[in-house]
Amino acid sequence: MATVAASALAAALKTDAAKSAVSATFKQLNVPVEAKFKKFNAQIDFDAARPDAAKASVEIDVPSFDLGDPEYNKEVQKKEWFNGTQFPKASFVSSSIKPAAGGRLDVAGKLTIKGKSADVAFPLTVKKEGNAQVFEGTLPIKRLAFNIGEGEWKDTSMVADEVLIKFRVVTAQ
């Protein structure tokens, strides 16, 4: 009986950090800029037969944000931007994962950045690559909703309010 109960639960998957990525794309002076978070931890419990029982959480190391230039990296950790000293982690915790059209999943949950939390929703694709499962998606956010860019940086003519958080999480059982 315990075996039946255990198999009904979603399966915890091990994240392959070397093959996984989280990035943020935004426009500065109307030019797209992509930066990567070098450190993050994704916890995914998923069974393709029972996607509605799935759970996901991601914790991102804010100081690992890399714009490709040490001076820019230092600047975005300041209070006006991420305030990485006071808020070193950003997180997402799912509240529901539901099957959607075209083999996609609709994910809803709470995103917390710089001490501000908001309910968010986004589509997610899941595909097999060999023995691995690949979870990919894009979460659009407004940076000002999370106080990213305070003071003079609230002006969206320099840095757009829209940010796309893109992720690819590769897992294996």
Side-chain angles (χ1 to χ4, degrees):
M1 190 66 155
T3 306
V4 172
S7 67
L9 299 174
L13 303 174
K14 182 174 172 29
T15 301
D16 185 338
K19 294 180 181 176
S20 300
V22 176
S23 66
T25 302
F26 58 92
K27 288 187 178 180
Q28 184 171 342
L29 295 174
N30 213 28
V31 176
V33 176
E34 183 173 9
K36 297 181 191 257
F37 289 95
K38 291 183 170 184
K39 295 179 187 172
F40 61 92
N41 182 25
Q43 301 290 322
I44 301 174
D45 292 335
F46 181 77
D47 178 349
R50 300 227 15 228
D52 54 330
K55 294 180 192 170
S57 65
V58 180
E59 186 175 80
I60 295 174
D61 184 65
V62 172
S64 78
F65 192 67
D66 184 13
L67 283 154
D69 179 284
E71 289 300 313
Y72 291 153
N73 293 349
K74 188 176 170 182
E75 182 66 30
V76 297
Q77 293 306 317
K78 291 181 178 176
K79 182 183 181 300
E80 296 82 10
W81 291 103
F82 282 120
N83 197 356
T85 302
Q86 186 174 351
F87 302 102
K89 302 289 183 196
S91 65
F92 171 79
V93 178
S94 68
S95 55
S96 75
I97 300 176
K98 298 178 181 174
R104 293 182 183 264
L105 299 173
D106 285 334
V107 179
K110 192 158 296 290
L111 178 65
T112 303
I113 303 172
K114 202 175 174 182
K116 298 275 185 190
S117 294
D119 292 324
V120 296
F122 56 93
L124 174 74
T125 61
V126 182
K127 62 185 176 189
K128 292 287 275 178
E129 283 185 6
N131 291 330
Q133 289 192 83
V134 180
F135 299 82
E136 290 182 302
T138 300
L139 169 59
I141 67 165
K142 302 284 189 182
R143 69 177 175 87
L144 295 177
F146 297 94
N147 289 337
I148 300 171
E150 295 181 43
E152 67 180 297
W153 297 109
K154 281 187 175 183
D155 178 3
T156 57
S157 65
M158 286 284 287
V159 179
D161 194 19
E162 296 78 23
V163 177
L164 297 176
I165 300 170
K166 298 177 185 179
F167 58 89
R168 174 183 167 89
V169 178
V170 180
T171 64
Q173 280 183 307

